[in-house]
């Protein structure tokens, strides 16, 4: 058969048939395995390139730098020898007004026909230094006043100011992460997988591949509810084409949701690709790991040969009081193989009807509770906390979290639906040329702008006379906010600057890794944003604003 998809389907059917003869029903408690391990088939599939694949990072060593631009200033990084992991780039700064592109942004983000526009270059300087919560720069963000552009006019090119020199740590790049110690399990619906607003393909591409179409060694087991055979195959093909090593199974629709979650553990443990791995990980389809090297290093501190249950609490003590003291699954739950074996051996009793009833916290049976009860009632293992994992049970404006300068090991609840909305796939593109530590790192300029890399650019026109090391309380706990719900995890938070006239912020809307090895970020501020008003209710600016940052390695 010359068609690779036909070969894949044939191999999948053969493996399914053999697996059905070899595996007992209690070894793989799923209704039907549509896709199983078939390495030859995957090699055929991953060699194909999709027509509508997500944007992938192109190694800058394989592309040509820009040349011959009008009225420009030259700045180039030193070329490195072949085989190095450092980007090789030669970029020419240009500060002309690309009106077609500005018109596109004006329409896309529904900006006023006249808006403030600032383009700023940043020169990355990777050094042997520690990552700081906030790094002070001696330069100003705005050497002059912000420019006002009218999309109906044209403008003469201008000379670029000197780039902001940004010192950062020599942290590893996402493309070099090795996730071969991990096998991940996610249970979701095909509808969520297929909907562009909730699909996780881009995010999974970041932390399960080298972003160049190759797996980083991590294995994903995807359990899809309400999916036809064709939809299961569609999910498999789309994920393997971007380099994700995945097997796709159909979830049992007769199971309680909490049981489907618990079922991930024996499914992962019994999977043939589990052998040789250290960690069995359950997480949600909106769980994101922004710094996989750091995550791996943290887990290396634990003895994976011991029965271990690792995760974090909700940030909200109300949720701990309501649901109990266990790992909250959206932040990621890490089980050592010995503990997963114990769960597998007790699976039937752990999902008994009385256990399901006991896992009902008043909000329906909870998978996190069912897993905790299975572990606590059948072993002496108790939860080990990693506080840099984040459940993010926060409502409202998430700026105070993402602008805090922390280095999170996981993110969650960023797709709205009652929770906050964030764009972690775009936030982390800077890591491809700057290193993982750069994501969400803060830089304070001499004129009191703070760049929270990948999330926002904030101006403090009355100065910064508060503690930047404290979270700004732009968010609330849910559903009951007592004012101190979040303090045990976040510490006491400083007062929000919303509506005080002391803060004006541009939020990231898109980020692009360019062919010349630079990264372009687009930040937008709307004049009607209720956050950016004075204490009298007047808007701090009557004009929309757009900031374009170009990062040069």
């Amino acid at each position: 058969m010359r068609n690779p998809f036909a070969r894949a389907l044939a191999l999948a059917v053969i493996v399914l048939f053999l697996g059905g003869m070899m595996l007992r029903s209690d070894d793989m408690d799923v209704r039907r395995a549509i896709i199983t391990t078939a390495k030859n088939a995957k090699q055929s599939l991953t060699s194909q390139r999709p027509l509508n694949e997500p944007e992938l990072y192109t190694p800058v060593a394989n592309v040509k730098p820009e040349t011959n631009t009008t009225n420009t200033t030259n700045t180039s990084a030193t070329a490195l020898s072949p085989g190095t992991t450092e980007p090789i780039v030669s970029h020419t700064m240009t500060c002309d007004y690309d009106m077609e592109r500005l018109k596109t942004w004006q329409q896309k983000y529904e900006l006023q026909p006249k808006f403030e526009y600032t383009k700023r270059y940043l020169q990355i300087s990777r050094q042997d230094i520690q990552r700081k919560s906030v790094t002070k720069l001696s330069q100003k963000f705005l050497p002059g006043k912000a420019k006002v552009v009218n999309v109906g006019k044209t403008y003469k090119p201008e000379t670029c100011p000197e780039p902001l020199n940004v010192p950062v740590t020599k942290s590893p790049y996402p493309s070099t992460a090795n996730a071969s110690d991990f096998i991940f399990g996610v249970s979701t619906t095909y509808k969520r997988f297929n909907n562009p607003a909730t699909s996780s393909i881009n995010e999974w591409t970041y932390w399960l591949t080298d972003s160049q179409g190759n797996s980083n060694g991590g294995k994903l087991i995807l359990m899809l509810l309400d999916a036809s055979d064709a939809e299961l195959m569609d999910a498999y093909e789309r994920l393997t084409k971007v380099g994700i090593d995945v097997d796709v199974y159909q979830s049992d629709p007769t199971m309680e949701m909490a049981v489907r979650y618990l079922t991930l553990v024996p499914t992962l443990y019994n999977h043939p690709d589990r052998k040789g791995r250290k960690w069995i990980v359950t997480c949600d389809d909106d769980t994101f790991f922004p710094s996989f090297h750091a995550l791996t290093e943290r887990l290396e501190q634990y003895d994976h040969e011991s029965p271990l249950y690792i995760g974090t609490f909700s940030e909200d003590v109300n949720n701990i009081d309501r649901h109990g003291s266990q790992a909250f699954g959206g932040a990621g739950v890490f089980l050592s193989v010995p503990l997963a074996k114990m769960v597998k051996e007790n699976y039937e009793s752990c999902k008994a009807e009385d256990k399901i009833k006991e896992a009902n916290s008043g909000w329906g049976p909870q998978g996190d509770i069912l897993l905790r009860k299975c572990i606590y009632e059948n072993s002496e293992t108790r939860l080990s906390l990693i506080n840099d994992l984040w459940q993010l049970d926060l409502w409202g404006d998430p700026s105070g979290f993402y602008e805090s300068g922390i280095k999170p090991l996981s993110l969650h609840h960023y797709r709205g639906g009652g929770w906050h909305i964030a764009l972690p796939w775009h936030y982390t593109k800077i890591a491809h040329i700057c290193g993982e530590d750069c994501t969400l790192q803060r830089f304070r300029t001499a004129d009191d702008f703070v760049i929270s890399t990948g999330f926002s650019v904030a101006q403090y026109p009355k100065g910064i006379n508060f503690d930047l090391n404290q979270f700004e309380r732009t968010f609330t706990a849910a559903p009951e906010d007592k004012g101190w719900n979040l303090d045990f995890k976040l510490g006491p938070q400083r007062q929000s600057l919303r509506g005080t006239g002391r803060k004006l912020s541009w939020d990231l809307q898109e980020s692009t890794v360019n062919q010349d090895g630079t990264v372009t970020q687009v930040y937008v501020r709307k004049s009607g944003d209720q956050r950016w008003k004075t204490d009298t209710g007047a808007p701090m600016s009557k004009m929309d604003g757009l900031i374009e940052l170009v990062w040069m390695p």
Side-chain angles (χ1 to χ4, degrees):
M1 290 179 283
R2 295 181 179 273
N3 189 315
F5 299 110
R7 292 200 302 271
L9 182 58
L11 282 169
V13 171
I14 292 171
V15 175
L16 177 60
F17 174 75
L18 293 175
M21 296 179 64
M22 297 174 64
L23 291 176
R24 303 193 334 259
S25 61
D26 61 346
D27 285 339
M28 187 68 76
D29 195 354
V30 291
R31 170 164 292 192
R32 188 157 33 119
I34 300 299
I35 307 297
T36 58
T37 307
K39 293 183 179 179
N40 291 335
K42 289 184 182 179
Q43 289 171 359
S44 299
L45 285 168
T46 54
S47 67
Q48 309 300 311
R49 306 309 301 168
L51 296 177
N52 59 342
E53 66 180 343
E55 175 190 1
L56 297 179
Y57 172 56
T58 302
V60 295
N62 297 330
V63 297
K64 296 180 179 179
E66 293 180 349
T67 56
N68 299 330
T69 53
T70 306
N71 197 8
T72 58
T73 304
N74 286 324
T75 180
S76 301
T78 303
L80 300 174
S81 58
T84 180
T85 58
E86 296 282 345
I88 302 173
V89 62
S90 178
H91 182 78
T92 304
M93 296 196 306
T94 175
C95 289
D96 56 355
Y97 292 86
D98 186 339
M99 296 311 298
E100 288 303 313
R101 186 169 57 160
L102 291 176
K103 286 179 184 177
T104 299
W105 286 336
Q106 182 261 333
Q107 294 172 3
K108 184 176 182 179
Y109 301 117
E110 299 180 344
L111 303 177
Q112 300 158 334
K114 288 176 62 177
F115 59 90
E116 294 179 350
Y117 169 64
T118 299
K119 183 175 184 178
R120 202 71 169 92
Y121 281 88
L122 299 94
Q123 180 65 64
I124 297 167
S125 175
R126 285 169 55 86
Q127 302 175 16
D128 292 319
I129 55 177
Q130 294 294 314
R131 185 187 192 273
K132 295 180 179 180
S133 171
V134 57
T135 299
K136 289 186 177 181
L137 307 180
S138 61
Q139 299 165 279
K140 291 185 177 181
F141 183 81
L142 280 181
K145 293 184 178 180
K147 309 296 182 183
V148 176
V149 296
N150 186 327
V151 293
K153 296 183 179 180
T154 59
Y155 299 89
K156 294 181 180 179
E158 296 183 1
T159 300
C160 297
E162 287 296 314
L164 289 173
N165 293 307
V166 179
V168 300
T169 62
K170 288 185 177 179
S171 59
Y173 299 105
S175 61
T176 64
N178 181 356
S180 59
D181 286 343
F182 303 84
I183 181 169
F184 298 89
V186 174
S187 178
T188 187
T189 65
Y190 179 78
K191 182 178 180 180
R192 278 182 61 87
F193 173 83
N194 192 52
N195 185 344
T198 54
S199 176
S200 297
I201 295 178
N202 287 334
E203 286 77 13
W204 290 342
T205 299
Y206 175 80
W207 56 266
L208 282 170
T209 78
D210 63 357
S211 295
Q212 299 174 33
N214 307 299
S215 171
N216 64 7
K219 179 76 179 186
L220 174 64
I221 305 302
L222 179 60
M223 309 284 288
L224 288 181
L225 185 67
D226 300 329
S228 66
D229 292 3
E231 289 169 338
L232 293 170
M233 180 62 78
D234 171 66
Y236 174 79
E237 291 172 354
R238 288 161 66 184
L239 291 169
T240 55
K241 283 177 182 178
V242 296
I244 296 173
D245 182 5
V246 64
D247 288 349
V248 182
Y249 297 92
Q250 187 180 70
S251 289
D252 187 342
T254 66
M255 283 184 176
E256 181 77 43
M257 182 177 66
V259 177
R260 289 200 300 270
Y261 177 79
L262 180 67
T263 301
L264 285 172
V265 177
T267 302
L268 296 176
Y269 181 84
N270 287 323
H271 195 280
D273 282 2
R274 189 268 305 163
K275 295 180 180 179
R277 299 181 190 270
K278 298 177 181 178
W279 300 105
I280 287 175
V281 187
T282 63
C283 55
D284 290 350
D285 62 357
D286 61 344
T287 303
F288 186 80
F289 300 107
S291 302
F292 211 92
H293 287 90
L295 178 65
T296 302
E297 290 176 5
R298 183 67 60 86
L299 287 166
E300 285 175 352
Q301 299 174 12
Y302 296 86
D303 180 7
H304 68 276
E305 295 180 344
S306 298
L308 293 176
Y309 169 44
I310 299 174
T312 196
F313 292 144
S314 168
E315 298 79 18
D316 188 346
V317 293
N318 272 348
N319 288 336
I320 301 173
D321 181 53
R322 182 180 302 116
H323 300 299
S325 175
Q326 72 263 326
F328 280 68
V333 179
F334 298 80
L335 306 181
S336 64
V337 171
L339 187 66
K341 180 182 179 182
M342 184 280 296
V343 173
K344 190 264 297 189
E345 292 171 346
N346 292 278
Y347 172 72
E348 290 298 330
S349 62
C350 288
K351 70 179 182 71
E353 191 65 30
D354 61 324
K355 300 302 178 185
I356 296 174
K357 290 181 180 179
E358 292 170 5
N360 189 337
S361 59
W363 294 58
Q366 300 294 307
D368 295 341
I369 299 176
L370 201 62
L371 177 59
R372 181 250 296 165
K373 286 178 61 63
C374 186
I375 294 170
Y376 283 17
E377 293 175 5
N378 294 283
S379 75
E380 296 182 355
T381 298
R382 295 298 180 264
L383 176 64
S384 296
L385 288 174
I386 295 182
N387 287 323
D388 289 327
L389 300 170
W390 293 89
Q391 172 74 5
L392 290 185
D393 287 339
L394 308 175
W395 276 12
D397 178 8
S399 299
F401 174 82
Y402 289 99
E403 293 176 345
S404 65
I406 66 170
K407 181 181 175 180
L409 295 182
S410 67
L411 301 169
H412 181 233
H413 276 160
Y414 53 82
R415 295 200 186 281
W419 302 109
H420 73 279
I421 295 177
L423 307 169
W425 183 58
H426 284 283
Y427 301 164
T428 51
K429 288 186 182 181
I430 186 63
H432 290 297
I433 67 166
C434 190
E436 289 181 355
D437 279 7
C438 291
T439 301
L440 302 180
Q441 188 171 4
R442 295 184 297 181
F443 301 96
R444 176 181 174 180
T445 62
D447 49 350
D448 287 329
F449 279 78
V450 175
I451 303 168
S452 297
T453 307
F455 181 79
S456 70
V457 176
Q459 180 185 15
Y460 298 90
K462 297 182 181 181
I464 299 175
N465 54 1
F466 46 83
D467 187 358
L468 280 173
N469 292 313
Q470 292 181 319
F471 290 85
E472 180 187 357
R473 204 176 202 277
T474 62
F475 39 75
T476 63
E480 182 184 2
D481 188 358
K482 299 176 182 177
W484 47 262
N485 305 42
L486 311 172
D487 289 6
F488 89 98
K489 183 71 180 282
L490 304 180
Q493 303 101 61
R494 57 185 169 88
Q495 184 178 355
S496 172
L497 296 180
R498 175 191 178 102
T500 64
R502 298 169 60 192
K503 179 182 179 182
L504 195 63
S505 184
W506 294 252
D507 298 328
L508 184 88
Q509 300 300 320
E510 64 179 83
S511 182
T512 305
V513 181
N514 302 312
Q515 290 295 308
D516 66 353
T518 60
V519 168
T520 297
Q521 298 171 332
V522 177
Y523 299 81
V524 170
R525 172 186 53 74
K526 304 297 285 291
S527 61
D529 193 321
Q530 295 299 308
R531 297 174 297 171
W532 316 135
K533 291 189 174 183
T534 66
D535 52 8
T536 63
M540 294 178 66
S541 175
K542 296 181 179 180
M543 195 170 290
D544 295 340
L546 186 147
I547 292 176
E548 178 185 2
L549 296 187
V550 183
W551 297 74
M552 301 180 296

